[in-house]
Amino acid sequence: MENPVTPNLKADSKLTLQPTHSFRLFLRRLILHRYFYLLILPGCLYFFIFKFIPMWGILIAFQDYNPFAGMMKSKWVGFQYFQDLFGYDHFYVLLRNTLGINFMNLILYFPVPILMALMLNEVRHEVFKRVSQSIFYLPHFLSWVVVAGLTFFMISTDVGAVNKLLHDWGMQRIVILSNSDYFWLLITLQSIWKDAGWGTIIFLAAIAGVNPSLYESAVVDGAGRLRQIWHITLPAIRHVVVILLILRVGHMMDVGFEQLLLMMNPLVMNVADVFDTYAYNNGVLKGEISTGVAVGIFKGIVGLILVLGANFISKKMGEDGIF
């Protein structure tokens, strides 16, 4: 009589051999595609060293961190610093300013690289096209210190070139840098001037992948350039636009810290103070490192929620999303 335990042992042996077979298959694929894995190895090391390993530091947000004692000997305080953040008198001012500046960037800045890419794609003179691209890319390589200095020498009330011309023409000087009503718009225009040209690279690459036969068929059907852009180019790059829009929504809590730090002054603090400047003032200047880490965790969680929400909405609207 056959031992009833024997089939179970055979089944168990198959189960134990399956991971070994999968591991051998993985090794075979690793050796076969070794050059591709070597190609992505520097990127993986970058994210592992500079993104994953530093995540251990989020524990500081739950400690009364003392740099001399270190993380292991610092006192645990739980969610105290999160409570201090949410209980801060100007918390909603920080939230309003952060979201307000980002909404203006989303509405005014985000479409500009798309429009610039469409216009550059229509340029037929190659030399003029390449020169124009180089001019548009150049501001991206300037530091915010240079951009802030140029802004000051252009529109400051005393020494600004624009106000000097207005004064010479007998017109009243315009106060911009110290006027809180213009601050968000000024920050957005600076971002457009500096980075819009650089943002066209991805869209130009997406446009370059459009099948030229589609344009030839549209010309045969009598479609003009605007019709070709509307019915061929824009639908072809729509997935790229949606992905970048989702990623941009995920950065709604991030504001250019260097830009704001250089452009803010006491007269515009009510519209310029954001979470990044709050973390800098408390975490760096006052030495409350745990407060700065708590702000970073809060921003990260909100950004994750926004990305998941934007991705969910895009899929409901028939787009692929980012995952």
Side-chain angles (χ1 to χ4, degrees):
M1 184 176 179
E2 185 180 0
N3 189 355
V5 182
T6 304
N8 294 333
L9 292 175
K10 292 180 179 180
D12 291 341
S13 63
K14 291 181 180 180
L15 290 176
T16 55
L17 289 176
Q18 187 175 0
T20 305
H21 176 70
S22 301
F23 182 71
R24 290 177 179 176
L25 182 61
F26 170 74
L27 289 179
R28 191 179 299 115
R29 290 178 177 176
L30 185 64
I31 296 173
L32 181 63
H33 304 289
R34 57 187 178 275
Y35 296 112
F36 292 101
Y37 288 108
L38 286 175
L39 186 64
I40 66 173
L41 181 61
C44 294
L45 289 177
Y46 167 79
F47 280 99
F48 179 75
I49 296 174
F50 296 102
K51 300 297 182 180
F52 286 98
I53 293 180
M55 289 183 67
W56 176 258
I58 65 176
L59 297 177
I60 296 176
F62 306 95
Q63 297 177 328
D64 185 9
Y65 181 70
N66 185 346
F68 300 99
M71 292 178 57
M72 296 302 178
K73 296 183 180 180
S74 296
K75 180 182 177 181
W76 291 90
V77 294
F79 293 93
Q80 175 183 336
Y81 288 100
F82 292 93
Q83 295 175 356
D84 295 340
L85 173 63
F86 298 139
Y88 180 55
D89 294 338
H90 295 88
F91 173 80
Y92 292 103
V93 175
L94 301 177
L95 184 63
R96 181 202 64 188
N97 295 339
T98 303
L99 295 179
I101 294 173
N102 277 294
F103 271 120
M104 289 200 69
N105 274 285
L106 190 65
I107 296 172
L108 299 179
Y109 170 81
F110 185 79
V112 174
I114 303 174
L115 296 176
M116 292 178 65
L118 293 175
M119 290 188 292
L120 287 172
N121 186 62
E122 298 301 316
V123 177
R124 293 295 173 257
H125 197 285
E126 287 298 326
V127 176
F128 178 78
K129 182 177 181 179
R130 293 181 183 278
V131 172
S132 300
Q133 285 180 288
S134 300
I135 294 174
F136 292 152
Y137 297 162
L138 182 61
H140 173 76
F141 299 98
L142 300 177
S143 68
W144 279 113
V145 177
V146 177
V147 176
L150 291 174
T151 305
F152 177 79
F153 285 111
M154 286 296 296
I155 62 175
S156 65
T157 308
D158 299 328
V159 299
V162 175
N163 278 312
K164 279 189 174 181
L165 287 176
L166 293 177
H167 179 72
D168 294 340
W169 293 342
M171 302 174 65
Q172 187 177 3
R173 296 176 184 265
I174 302 176
V175 180
I176 298 178
L177 296 179
S178 59
N179 192 333
S180 59
D181 296 333
Y182 299 143
F183 185 78
W184 289 359
L185 180 60
L186 176 62
I187 294 297
T188 304
L189 293 178
Q190 279 185 330
S191 300
I192 292 174
W193 181 81
K194 186 177 186 297
D195 292 326
W198 186 257
T200 61
I201 294 178
I202 297 178
F203 298 109
L204 285 172
I207 293 174
V210 181
N211 192 346
S213 61
L214 298 176
Y215 295 106
E216 297 173 359
S217 302
V219 172
V220 173
D221 293 337
R225 300 305 304 176
L226 291 178
R227 287 290 182 180
Q228 294 177 36
I229 293 173
W230 184 258
H231 294 287
I232 298 177
T233 308
L234 286 177
I237 66 172
R238 183 180 61 184
H239 64 288
V240 177
V241 175
V242 171
I243 291 175
L244 292 179
L245 180 60
I246 293 173
L247 296 177
R248 183 68 188 84
V249 170
H251 289 278
M252 288 295 289
M253 298 299 291
D254 292 326
V255 185
F257 167 71
E258 298 90 348
Q259 181 187 14
L260 288 177
L261 187 65
L262 293 167
M263 295 303 301
M264 68 185 348
N265 58 75
L267 297 177
V268 296
M269 283 296 294
N270 61 320
V271 294
D273 199 13
V274 295
F275 286 109
D276 290 332
T277 56
Y278 173 79
Y280 171 75
N281 292 329
N282 289 272
V284 178
L285 298 184
K286 297 182 180 179
E288 299 176 0
I289 301 177
S290 299
T291 300
V293 178
V295 172
I297 294 176
F298 168 70
K299 289 171 50 183
I301 294 175
V302 174
L304 175 62
I305 294 173
L306 290 176
V307 167
L308 294 176
N311 187 73
F312 176 78
I313 294 174
S314 67
K315 286 194 171 184
K316 287 295 182 180
M317 297 178 65
E319 302 296 335
D320 294 333
I322 58 175
F323 56 86

